[in-house]
Amino acid sequence: MVLFVFIIINLVGIYFYFNKKFNLFLITSLIILFVEPIFQKLVDPSMFGASFSVFGFDRVKTNLVIIFFYVFILLARHKQFYLKNKMSALNKYIFIFIIFHVFNVLFSENIGNSLAITIVAIIGPTLFFYVLLGMPDTVFFNMQNLLKIIYGSVIIFIMIGLVMYNYTSQKTELITDALINRTGGGLWLSNISTQILAIFFPFAFSKVKFKYSNKIKLIVIILFLILLVFSLSRTGLIVYFIMLLLIIRKSKKKISFIILGFPFIISLISFAKYIYNFDLIEMFSNRFVKEGDTLETISKDTRFSIYEESFEIVKGNEFIGTGISTFNKLNINNFSNAHNIFINILVERGIIGVILIIILFYFIFKLKEINLENFSENNEFIKLTKIGILGFLLIGMTGNDLFVNSGFINGWSFYLILFVIGVNLKINNYIFIKHGIK
């Protein structure tokens, strides 16, 4: 019954696509992507705690439903839309990327797990990317609609996380000294969510206006602050602050940001303390301040022992890696990932895998702004994309693997990265054709 409901939701997205309601299709696709883990858990209720290391059919069937409908769209659509610019190199890259992961599976320490992860976290997002490219350029040129899609996705994602957090907090005694639960629903609100949503965070400060835009932006900003509080992610707090500084630096209203920003944050801190009895300053002090001096605190961090063990694991598998999703089986403490996306990729996909990831981000950072007055909103989209991807990478330096987030096999990160690449390609393509730019 649960799987049937999930299939119906996907069919709604298909209906929007073939009736040319592309904006509704995009928001539906992102909602499906973000709520899929709930259906995944309902279909396979055993998927809590230790069973994160188990990848069977029950674990992936909701992911496969999504992929099936992407394949259906790609095979069934009647009219093709082609990119006129910059696509041949990206197509070649994606072909090599897929072929590499085929070999990665074949030589994996656990072929079954690696195949399952590759299908749902590599093939799935790639198919989604080509579905995006198959849509008219004009869909992506409307910044107001794109922002509504992004804001709606962020609100839904964080609200689902808060519901899960509240539910699991009542069922576990595993809490930190700061009395904030970072397990169960906390997984959704820990550095996993702060890393994934970093890609969208800069868009909360977009200058593009639409009906109720200021109110919606305020809601999104508050939800991001709640996410950072409940996640208690030290790296997330620092990286989001860095992104905020970059946004302020590129803004023409720097003084307004500073004058309005600090009272706003202080008000929220005071509200949390006196209404909900959350002392945020004390909570984060407990997370940041440990016994001993700063050097001792850093050197005792568990991540360093994980990094050291990771470099031992990679010996003998330097080029193609041990196979995607094998890290949790190969390290002594059964950690789900190396707490560093590049080290994790080095272990599981080797030097070639790391190079391919670097090339992927090259496609993003080489995007150039179009110096035409009528396209200032599109230029802003490119700027905000780069800040968001930079934040994603910075959190990933102490966070989770790019494709396998703490046992979740949804490929959230890769979906969103390919989403912003696809949107920027379509925006550029529209401008190039419209104005004959080469």
Side-chain angles (χ1 to χ4, degrees):
M1 180 62 183
V2 172
L3 188 61
F4 178 74
V5 172
F6 187 67
I7 290 172
I8 294 297
I9 296 173
N10 279 268
L11 281 172
V12 171
I14 293 287
Y15 171 82
F16 288 146
Y17 184 92
F18 286 104
N19 283 273
K20 298 182 179 180
K21 300 179 186 296
F22 293 116
N23 292 326
L24 291 175
F25 169 76
L26 283 176
I27 187 66
T28 303
S29 297
L30 290 177
I31 290 171
I32 288 170
L33 177 65
F34 285 152
V35 303
E36 187 269 342
I38 290 180
F39 285 91
Q40 195 181 67
K41 285 183 178 295
L42 292 172
V43 171
D44 179 16
S46 66
M47 287 192 329
F48 286 92
S51 63
F52 278 143
S53 61
V54 178
F55 300 106
F57 178 68
D58 281 340
R59 193 73 200 276
V60 300
K61 55 189 173 185
T62 47
N63 304 80
L64 295 177
V65 167
I66 299 173
I67 294 172
F68 171 82
F69 284 116
Y70 291 151
V71 172
F72 177 78
I73 288 174
L74 290 168
L75 292 177
R77 67 187 183 204
H78 301 293
K79 186 175 180 180
Q80 300 285 338
F81 302 93
Y82 295 101
L83 282 169
K84 306 295 183 184
N85 182 68
K86 296 183 179 179
M87 196 52 209
S88 59
L90 188 57
N91 270 327
K92 290 175 183 176
Y93 162 79
I94 290 174
F95 176 76
I96 294 170
F97 192 76
I98 298 297
I99 293 298
F100 165 76
H101 277 88
V102 170
F103 282 100
N104 182 260
V105 169
L106 292 176
F107 292 95
S108 172
E109 300 279 343
N110 187 324
I111 292 178
N113 279 10
S114 294
L115 178 61
I117 296 294
T118 298
I119 290 172
V120 301
I122 304 293
I123 304 298
T126 303
L127 293 172
F128 175 64
F129 176 71
Y130 279 106
V131 168
L132 291 182
L133 297 187
M135 294 163 60
D137 295 340
T138 49
V139 174
F140 301 90
F141 190 69
N142 189 326
M143 290 296 101
Q144 294 182 10
N145 285 337
L146 280 173
L147 286 175
K148 290 174 187 176
I149 290 167
I150 290 172
Y151 293 158
S153 300
V154 169
I155 290 170
I156 289 168
F157 185 82
I158 298 179
M159 292 302 291
I160 289 171
L162 289 172
V163 170
M164 285 185 66
Y165 174 86
N166 182 65
Y167 176 76
T168 55
S169 294
Q170 299 171 10
K171 293 181 174 293
T172 181
E173 296 178 355
L174 297 174
I175 55 178
T176 68
D177 293 336
L179 299 179
I180 287 289
N181 169 27
R182 301 188 83 228
T183 65
L187 282 172
W188 205 304
L189 295 171
S190 66
N191 54 336
I192 300 167
S193 297
T194 52
Q195 183 180 343
I196 293 165
L197 291 185
I199 297 172
F200 284 164
F201 174 68
F203 293 98
F205 300 91
S206 170
K207 292 176 287 187
V208 177
K209 299 288 184 182
F210 53 87
K211 191 174 182 180
Y212 305 122
S213 62
N214 289 335
K215 293 179 181 178
I216 294 174
K217 287 176 186 178
L218 181 61
I219 292 171
V220 170
I221 291 170
I222 290 173
L223 283 174
F224 267 116
L225 287 171
I226 292 172
L227 172 67
L228 286 170
V229 168
F230 277 77
S231 72
L232 281 177
S233 172
R234 292 165 291 185
T235 306
L237 189 69
I238 294 169
V239 171
Y240 273 67
F241 181 69
I242 291 171
M243 284 195 290
L244 189 59
L245 289 179
L246 290 173
I247 293 166
I248 293 173
R249 187 179 71 84
K250 291 179 177 292
S251 172
K252 294 179 180 179
K253 298 181 179 180
K254 298 180 178 64
I255 303 299
S256 299
F257 262 113
I258 296 170
I259 292 175
L260 297 175
F262 280 107
F264 175 69
I265 292 174
I266 290 170
S267 298
L268 284 178
I269 291 174
S270 302
F271 181 80
K273 183 174 182 179
Y274 293 107
I275 304 298
Y276 292 104
N277 200 30
F278 280 167
D279 192 330
L280 301 183
I281 296 175
E282 182 182 351
M283 285 162 49
F284 275 98
S285 295
N286 290 337
R287 286 286 289 161
F288 278 90
V289 180
K290 304 291 182 183
E291 292 183 7
D293 58 30
T294 305
L295 187 60
E296 287 177 335
T297 301
I298 294 174
S299 62
K300 290 177 182 177
D301 195 303
T302 312
R303 287 179 176 84
F304 288 97
S305 61
I306 301 174
Y307 298 161
E308 186 177 349
E309 186 181 356
S310 298
F311 289 117
E312 289 298 319
I313 294 172
V314 83
K315 289 179 180 177
N317 301 283
E318 291 90 347
F319 292 102
I320 201 168
T322 59
I324 188 171
S325 88
T326 57
F327 184 86
N328 61 331
K329 292 290 187 181
L330 297 176
N331 69 94
I332 297 171
N333 295 308
N334 294 320
F335 286 108
S336 60
N337 60 82
H339 280 279
N340 180 298
I341 57 174
F342 291 106
I343 293 177
N344 210 104
I345 291 169
L346 178 65
V347 171
E348 296 188 344
R349 277 152 281 186
I351 296 171
I352 298 174
V354 173
I355 292 172
L356 287 173
I357 293 302
I358 292 172
I359 293 172
L360 174 66
F361 290 112
Y362 167 75
F363 281 107
I364 297 174
F365 285 102
K366 79 169 185 175
L367 288 168
K368 295 181 180 179
E369 299 165 26
I370 309 301
N371 294 317
L372 295 172
E373 186 176 347
N374 294 335
F375 301 105
S376 59
E377 290 184 358
N378 304 96
N379 285 341
E380 184 193 54
F381 194 93
I382 294 174
K383 288 178 184 177
L384 297 178
T385 292
K386 291 180 179 180
I387 294 173
I389 293 295
L390 178 63
F392 171 84
L393 289 172
L394 289 175
I395 295 179
M397 296 304 288
T398 65
N400 298 287
D401 174 31
L402 184 61
F403 303 131
V404 190
N405 296 312
S406 265
F408 284 114
I409 50 176
N410 307 289
W412 281 329
S413 303
F414 201 37
Y415 270 103
L416 294 188
I417 289 167
L418 289 181
F419 173 78
V420 296
I421 291 177
V423 170
N424 277 302
L425 280 172
K426 298 295 279 187
I427 289 171
N428 278 277
N429 191 60
Y430 178 88
I431 296 172
F432 293 146
I433 293 174
K434 190 88 172 174
H435 290 267
I437 300 172
K438 297 182 179 179

